[in-house]
Amino acid sequence: MPEAAAAIPFPSEDQTALERIIYISLPENIEKKLEGFELDPAVPLPVEPPPGMDGPALESLSWEMIVSAMLKIFAWQPEHPHIGYFRGFINAVQPGLVEELTAAAIRKADDQQFDIAEELFRALVILAPEQENTFLNLGTVFEEHAALLREEDREEEMEDYYQLALSVYRRGIQFHPGSAGLHFNAGHFFLQRNNIQKTKEHFTSFLRLETEKSERRAQVEKALQEIDARFHDDLTFTEAFDFIRMGQEEKGITRVRRFLEKNPNVWNAWFLLGWGLRKKGDYRDASEAFRRSIELKDTNPDTFNELAICNLELREYREAESNLKSALKLEPENTKVISNLGILALKEGDKELAKAYFLTVLEYDAEDPVATQYLDKLGHET
């Protein structure tokens, strides 16, 4: 058994599970050979006394009691100096234990008894590190536990378990660099965390290792294609924004329309299209784009404000008022919206109401250029 396993521990700060473990020395006259394993009386063996007993009598001891204590040490104190000796002892006494513990741990995980499943899988990682499934199972149970904590809004604990899962995959790959399964799980872990660089790194390694056609390979290939397409779409969206911001509306509109062909339900893409069309003076089409954006997300005050600007240019004053009030309800101190209410009042011939709106703007921002300009104009007119 490779001693490198001891260099891949998952120690825990919580040592509660080890509080009742004591160590005993075997008699010098005990048979030294045990199923091909040579006992060393100089190495004390751990045992956990039954409840209510301070320490078991030697005649009541069983190998199973010693193995049980060793497994707890594997789970919670994997840096123990006699881990290698304990591993050899268990393999001699209970050679089929890995399969039994794995089946039991999977049942506990399926029943969402994560604390028990976690302890068993922690022990298995140290007992049988040569089996990559021990790492896969432990990482999976940490992720499942994190998902349950997320549903319960226990964010801090959830993040702790995600970090544990990440630690398992990293150390598992160190021990099994040729494991396609570990790269597969790690890739999905990072995909869920929206870490595209790490996702691609592990999925690319998976494809290199799993050369035969399989459902997993097809799944990873599809995920990588979607990531590349998303990156291309994101680049298109960014270019569209930059072109419109720099006054090159036609180029920006062309790119955002291209983006919307593949992503028709992205509210801010419709907003961007409306913004470009509005800047170009195409108020009717801009209005339609802003309305589509509001259908997808009706909590953005800027969208209502932009739609109201189009309404003003199209002399749709009632619609403009409705949209500006919707924007103001979402953000009562939005000076752009308040200024546009002033402009609407001017268009309808109510100078006093307009002045009141512009003065309100100056209460929030004494140097607002739009409100200052209109108040100066109104002052000269009166």
Side-chain angles (χ1 to χ4, degrees):
M1 182 67 60
E3 283 304 310
I8 313 178
F10 298 93
S12 171
E13 295 179 1
D14 184 3
Q15 298 290 300
T16 306
L18 304 179
E19 288 179 352
R20 287 188 50 77
I21 288 181
I22 62 173
Y23 289 85
I24 61 170
S25 297
L26 293 176
E28 288 291 336
N29 60 355
I30 195 170
E31 175 62 43
K32 299 295 190 297
K33 294 290 184 180
L34 180 68
E35 302 293 335
F37 178 76
E38 187 168 348
L39 290 171
D40 183 355
V43 178
L45 297 179
V47 63
E48 185 174 21
M53 293 181 60
D54 292 332
L58 284 177
E59 61 269 15
S60 69
L61 276 176
S62 67
W63 292 137
E64 288 75 13
M65 292 173 65
I66 294 173
V67 166
S68 177
M70 287 178 175
L71 291 173
K72 282 187 177 292
I73 291 170
F74 283 5
W76 306 114
Q77 195 183 4
E79 69 277 20
H80 192 286
H82 296 305
I83 282 292
Y85 179 82
F86 293 165
R87 187 185 299 113
F89 179 95
I90 291 174
N91 287 333
V93 172
Q94 291 184 263
L97 186 60
V98 171
E99 291 73 18
E100 293 177 23
L101 285 183
T102 300
I106 290 172
R107 286 196 299 272
K108 294 300 181 182
D110 289 342
D111 292 338
Q112 293 193 338
Q113 297 183 46
F114 292 121
D115 289 342
I116 300 174
E118 176 188 333
E119 180 172 296
L120 292 173
F121 282 133
R122 278 177 177 264
L124 281 163
V125 161
I126 306 303
L127 175 61
E130 77 284 355
Q131 296 190 17
E132 66 182 78
N133 280 341
T134 61
F135 293 94
L136 289 168
N137 287 328
L138 181 57
T140 299
V141 91
F142 281 146
E143 287 198 69
E144 290 175 351
H145 198 166
L148 179 63
L149 292 167
R150 182 177 61 231
E151 292 175 7
E152 297 173 353
D153 293 325
R154 295 160 64 183
E155 297 290 327
E156 188 173 340
E157 293 172 83
M158 174 202 74
E159 188 59 34
D160 288 341
Y161 275 92
Y162 276 131
Q163 290 304 313
L164 282 169
L166 174 58
S167 177
V168 173
Y169 295 137
R170 281 177 172 168
R171 298 184 188 199
I173 288 170
Q174 289 174 5
F175 201 82
H176 297 278
S179 169
L182 283 165
H183 281 292
F184 180 82
N185 275 29
H188 276 287
F189 173 86
F190 285 114
L191 182 61
Q192 291 170 5
R193 308 280 284 174
N194 205 32
N195 187 328
I196 301 305
Q197 179 181 349
K198 286 293 184 180
T199 299
K200 293 183 73 171
E201 177 184 318
H202 286 288
F203 276 169
T204 301
S205 295
F206 168 82
L207 292 177
R208 176 174 51 80
L209 293 164
E210 184 149 317
T211 55
E212 299 295 326
K213 288 184 178 180
S214 66
E215 184 177 339
R216 289 196 312 179
R217 185 177 177 86
Q219 182 182 338
V220 167
E221 288 173 342
K222 181 181 178 183
L224 287 174
Q225 289 171 1
E226 290 175 350
I227 287 170
D228 289 340
R230 191 194 316 171
F231 174 79
H232 182 267
D233 288 344
D234 289 347
L235 181 61
T236 300
F237 187 90
T238 302
E239 287 178 343
F241 174 82
D242 287 340
F243 277 127
I244 294 171
R245 179 175 56 85
M246 293 185 297
Q248 300 181 52
E249 286 84 9
E250 286 292 353
K251 290 183 178 180
I253 290 167
T254 298
R255 280 165 175 76
V256 76
R257 287 193 189 280
R258 189 184 305 159
F259 178 89
L260 282 165
E261 287 176 3
K262 296 181 180 179
N263 307 277
N265 296 319
V266 178
W267 73 269
N268 51 350
W270 286 103
F271 178 90
L272 188 58
L273 176 61
W275 184 43
L277 291 167
R278 196 266 295 167
K279 287 185 69 179
K280 196 166 77 77
D282 190 348
Y283 301 113
R284 184 65 62 192
D285 286 348
S287 295
E288 292 304 316
F290 288 130
R291 288 191 183 95
R292 177 63 177 140
S293 180
I294 289 170
E295 287 175 5
L296 294 167
K297 182 178 179 179
D298 61 0
T299 57
N300 183 41
D302 288 338
T303 314
F304 285 102
N305 185 57
E306 286 286 341
L307 178 54
I309 293 172
C310 295
N311 296 145
L312 289 171
E313 294 294 339
L314 296 168
R315 299 187 179 183
E316 299 169 345
Y317 297 147
R318 296 282 65 78
E319 290 88 342
E321 182 181 15
S322 175
N323 286 315
L324 287 170
K325 287 184 175 179
S326 293
L328 205 61
K329 186 176 180 180
L330 291 167
E331 194 173 333
E333 298 181 6
N334 189 316
T335 55
K336 291 186 296 183
V337 175
I338 299 171
S339 285
N340 284 333
L341 281 166
I343 294 169
L344 172 61
L346 278 179
K347 287 182 178 291
E348 292 185 314
D350 192 337
K351 293 181 180 179
E352 289 303 314
L353 180 59
K355 186 182 291 188
Y357 278 126
F358 293 132
L359 287 171
T360 300
V361 170
L362 294 183
E363 290 178 9
Y364 292 118
D365 181 0
E367 298 180 0
D368 185 276
V370 175
T372 301
Q373 179 183 349
Y374 273 101
L375 284 171
D376 286 345
K377 183 179 179 182
L378 286 168
H380 287 123
E381 289 180 359
T382 56

